[in-house]
Amino acid sequence: MNTNEVICTCAEINEQQIVSAIRNQNLKTLDEVCETTGAGMVCGGCRPVIQEILNKLNK
Ligand code: FES
């Protein structure tokens, strides 16, 4: 959590950027996270990982 590990290689979005967007903008759904960060909009391969991050944060 909160690492610089790249989650979305297509858009070069790392975990920290995704976590910050979810927290700061109170994002609830995968689509919201993708639209806001730009991750998950190309090949879609990272979407399950983004969903996992959402799940972890919303526990
Ligand atoms: S790895 Fe995220 S859209 Fe391709």
Side-chain angles (χ1 to χ4, degrees):
M1 197 64 84
N2 294 339
T3 68
N4 292 325
E5 182 189 348
V6 173
I7 302 295
C8 178
T9 50
C10 294
E12 291 191 358
I13 306 291
N14 67 34
E15 184 166 10
Q16 178 64 60
Q17 290 169 286
I18 291 172
V19 169
S20 296
I22 293 169
R23 288 204 174 125
N24 296 341
Q25 298 178 64
N26 198 28
L27 306 178
K28 297 295 183 203
T29 69
L30 180 58
D31 282 341
E32 283 176 343
V33 178
C34 293
E35 282 164 19
T36 303
T37 62
M41 303 297 275
V42 186
C43 76
C46 59
R47 289 174 72 100
V49 183
I50 298 171
Q51 182 67 62
E52 273 178 37
I53 295 171
L54 255 177
N55 293 347
K56 271 192 276 180
L57 291 176
N58 286 332
K59 257 189 210 155

